[in-house]
Structures are given as structure tokens and as C-alpha cells.
Amino acid sequence: MKQQEESIRTVGLDVGTSRIVTACCDGAERGFESQLNAFVRIPHAKMAESMLHKENVPFQVQRDTIVIQGNEAQRFADLFHLETNRPMTQGFLDPSEAESVPMVKKIIETMVGKRNGSRPRVCFSVPAAPLNATESLTYHEATLRQTFDELDYEVRSINEGLAVIYSELEDTNYTGIGISCGGGLCNVALAYLSMPALSFSIPKAGDFIDSSAASVTGELATRVRIAKEATFHFNGHFTDKLQQVLTVYYEDMIHALIAAMKDAFSNAKRMPKLAKPIPMVLSGGTASPQGFRDRFEKLLRASDFPIEISEIRLARDPMTATANGALVAALTEM
Ligand SMILES: Nc1ncnc2c1ncn2[C@@H]1O[C@H](COP(=O)(O)OP(=O)(O)O)[C@@H](O)[C@H]1O
Ligand SMILES: [Mg+2]
């Protein structure tokens, strides 16, 4: 019986617009894996198919095309000068994209896998509804649940900002504000003793920075993103135009995020009465450039913020905090 229990795989899953990340517990070690939430199509040929197979590139054949998904999609897009396709936009599955669900399913299936017939236990992250928006999360969450049913996983979900709190704020008994700055969205949650009090998202994050900078410099957004990820940092001496333009839109995003928090926290009816200052944690790919935390803190301290903040820290690993928090939730609640 014990043996059987131990073989059940428990996984924290971060389903993001740009990346899908898993956190797994293998013994005492925690392991992380990340795949781009993207795919690319190339024309089908028998020879190409058998070479991809030989090289262990994950792909599917669909009629006259070969579909390559995950991290390899980027490599093949670069090789053949194609844009990658993305199954999600601004944090959510796109109901008008018939292909998006099977793609996400395939990527997740490859990452979570299946072990000797036992049902994996998966806790997946869901974004919060956009601030002041009427649209709901129903389609996104229900569709993911249906997908997990088909894969025969045992699942539960966790709000993304709360997952960041689960990952990083054990020392304050999970009291504080968790923020994930990703590709499509910035997600914010405030929790008191692990209980979520308020959460929301704003549709301004990495993709917004890329497309805005691209429209100014006249480059492709994909190219801007690659340059941004490779070299962007705050407080640089700008030798090229792109760095300066990226700083402008980065600051625009930070201002929007702070303004949204001020709005949400001062108007919330269900805010807990906080006896002392609480910490704030920043995570996600967009929070990872050098100097981001410092710039964020400077702008937040200069704003008339409605809650007393004890410290602003960067997640230990900004790229895996959501998945790690989802794993903490799976291990404690499932
Ligand atoms: N080193 C980096 N510097 C700046 N931005 C980065 C870096 N690495 C990733 N990003 C950006 O982070 C975003 C993706 O973050 P992620 O947390 O994976 O988002 P999501 O949860 O939306 O998938 C993208 O906009 C990507 O360009
Ligand atoms: Mg994410």
C-alpha cells in the first residue's frame, strides 16, 4: 500500500501564456521543467518525419503538415524564419482557436507523463479575472479541467498570485502579496494566513513590452523579445535605441501594475484588517531582468500606496515560483 502511494506522481503545473512549467517532487529533490507554450508548422515529408523521430523532437503529423511543439518550436521557427503560433493569448485559452486545446494538452502530456498506471495528482495555476472586467474565467478553467479528465489526472486549481505566496512566503505564514509578471498578464493576489482575500490580473506584461517596443523600432516582436531576454537590464547606459525603448515600456507596465493595486486595495470591501506591514513578492519572467526589483520598489514607495509594505523581494527563482507554489498546494491539499 505504502509503495503504491509513493509511486503517485504529484505535480505543480503553471499554465502560462508563454511557458508551461512543472514542479515535481522526486524524493527530497524538487525538479522543474519548462516548455514554451508554442507550436510551429512545417510541410510534411516522409524523410523529415523520420529525422525528427530519430532526433527525439516532439511533433505530430496533421494531414500535410508536421506540428512541432514546445521548446523545439522556437528553434525550428528561427531556422525557417517562421513566427511561432501560441495557443493562449493574454493569459487565457482562446475559444476561437480550435487548435489551441489539443496543443496545450500535448505539451502537458509530454511533461507530466504517466507512471505505471497511477493517476498523477496535478495542481494547476489559473489567472485571476482582469481588474474591472466582466469577462469570466469559466471557459479557460473548465476547458483545462476537461483536458485533465481526458488525460485521467486527479486535479485541482490554484490562483496564480496565491501560488506565488505559497512558494515564497512560508516565513510570514503565507501572509502578503504575491505578484507574477508573465507574458500576457500580471497576476496579483493578497492573502492572509494562506487565505486569499483578493486577486486580479492586468493584461499588460512582457508581450505588451515586446509589441510596443517593436512598433517603435520597426522590428518583429519576436526579435525584440529575444534581444530583451538576452540583454535587457535597468540602469544601463544605453548604447542602443532598443534598450531605451524597452525601459520606457517596462516603466509603463510597472506604473500600470502599481495603479491597479492602488485601485483594487483601496476599493476592496473584503480587505482583511492588517495589524502590521506585509511583504510583497515579485516573480515571473518579466520580473527577472537585473534591477527590476529596485525600480519597482522605487516607484511603489513614491506612490501613495494604501497598504504598508514591510519589504519587496524577488522570488528565489522567478521563473518557477508559480509551479513551485502549485506543488506546495498539491502536496498539502490533495
Ligand atoms: N531574462 C529575461 N529578461 C526579460 N524578460 C524575460 C526574461 N526571461 C523571460 N522573460 C519574459 O517573461 C515573459 C514570460 O514570463 P513567464 O513567467 O514565463 O510568463 P507566462 O506565465 O505568461 O507564461 C515573456 O514576456 C518573456 O519575454
Ligand atoms: Mg507563468
Side-chain angles (χ1 to χ4, degrees), residues 14 16 160 180 322:
D14 168 7
E160 178 157 353
S180 170
T322 300

Side-chain angles (χ1 to χ4, degrees), residues 283-296:
S283 72
T286 296
S288 58
Q290 202 194 330
F292 178 85
R293 197 213 67 87
D294 293 354
R295 185 62 58 97
F296 183 93

Side-chain angles (χ1 to χ4, degrees), residues 81-150:
H81 300 284
L82 301 163
E83 276 278 12
T84 51
N85 301 293
R86 290 163 59 172
M88 283 168 49
T89 36
Q90 299 207 314
F92 303 97
L93 280 165
D94 188 346
S96 64
E97 276 286 341
E99 289 188 320
S100 56
V101 180
M103 282 306 155
V104 170
K105 183 180 178 184
K106 191 79 199 166
I107 297 172
I108 291 174
E109 193 179 11
T110 322
M111 294 175 83
V112 175
K114 220 171 186 186
R115 238 181 228 179
N116 22 314
S118 65
R119 290 177 88 198
R121 275 187 197 137
V122 177
C123 179
F124 68 102
S125 63
V126 284
L131 189 62
N132 302 328
T134 47
E135 68 194 88
S136 82
L137 306 168
T138 317
Y139 174 79
H140 177 80
E141 183 165 0
T143 307
L144 283 178
R145 279 186 184 275
Q146 197 181 356
T147 304
F148 293 124
D149 272 349
E150 288 163 15

Side-chain angles (χ1 to χ4, degrees), residues 208-328:
F208 159 81
I209 295 170
D210 303 344
S211 57
S212 309
S215 72
V216 172
T217 61
E219 285 169 90
L220 279 178
T222 331
R223 293 271 153 206
V224 170
R225 181 170 58 79
I226 291 167
K228 175 191 75 176
E229 292 177 9
T231 59
F232 181 75
H233 57 99
F234 284 89
N235 303 322
H237 293 288
F238 304 118
T239 47
D240 68 308
K241 179 86 183 146
L242 182 61
Q243 296 287 319
Q244 185 258 330
V245 173
L246 284 169
T247 309
V248 168
Y249 290 107
Y250 243 108
E251 295 215 341
D252 185 288
M253 185 209 83
I254 296 174
H255 278 298
L257 179 57
I258 293 172
M261 283 195 281
K262 283 177 68 173
D263 182 17
F265 297 150
S266 29
N267 293 328
K269 293 186 182 71
R270 294 199 309 122
M271 278 286 287
K273 297 255 176 306
L274 300 163
K276 52 182 184 187
I278 57 171
M280 190 180 262
V281 184
L282 300 168
S283 72
T286 296
S288 58
Q290 202 194 330
F292 178 85
R293 197 213 67 87
D294 293 354
R295 185 62 58 97
F296 183 93
E297 172 150 27
K298 195 166 163 219
L299 295 175
L300 185 121
R301 300 283 182 205
S303 78
D304 189 13
F305 206 67
I307 297 177
E308 266 199 88
I309 302 298
S310 56
E311 63 168 319
I312 299 173
R313 57 172 103 141
L314 196 61
R316 286 162 295 178
D317 178 0
M319 305 298 272
T320 59
T322 300
N324 186 50
L327 177 62
V328 172

